Amino acid sequence: MAGRRAARRALRAVGLDCGEIPRSGRLPVFPPGRTASISHSTGIAVAVAGAPGRDLPLGCDLELRPLPREAARLVLREDEESLLPDAGLPPGADAGWSVTELFSAKESAWKALTVMTGEGREGPADSLRGLRVSPREDGEDGLRVCLRADPARAVRVRVVRVGAGAFSYVIGRAGTRG
């Protein structure tokens, strides 16, 4: 409920007072032509909404509980493990991304790459391992996340550390890369 309340506020901020937001199973159903994304963690909910007439991917994720490094095998594939901090260094000693940050980036990208249709959800495979995360090539902060099956379908994701957790959000489409 808190997530749908946050979504109503976000939609109102871009000019749509939509009232209640229905669900299809666990997924919110937004008014036609409107995009929004909801996330919640430890009782805190956030949402982002797209302005009318803008065709931009939209996704966000909030993770306030840190994931243990052992969870990496559930989120990452071997070609992504180099993004993790060196296990031999003290925390904060290198520029790697935590498992929580990479999970959050993939989760927000998954939401942005998913489209709800009259027939249901169309988008990435159900597993976050079906997405590939990599550093952005343009030298900017953040990550690039693409579908492994279709690398041209990619988004740019910004990750903000929140205590031991992370908040991530999609900031636009990304260029193609294999």
Side-chain angles (χ1 to χ4, degrees), residues 4 7-8 11 18 21-22 28-38 48:
R4 286 182 286 146
R8 281 195 305 276
L11 287 164
C18 64
I21 297 173
V29 177
F30 298 111
R34 297 300 173 120
T35 57
S37 180
I38 298 171
V48 295

Side-chain angles (χ1 to χ4, degrees), residues 18 50 63 73 91 149 166 177:
C18 64
E63 300 296 331
R73 66 181 174 75
R177 186 174 118 196

Side-chain angles (χ1 to χ4, degrees), residues 126-143:
D126 290 337
S127 168
L128 292 182
R129 289 171 50 92
L131 299 173
R132 183 175 190 274
V133 63
S134 59
R136 288 184 49 188
E137 290 185 325
D138 57 12
E140 295 291 323
D141 287 340
L143 296 163

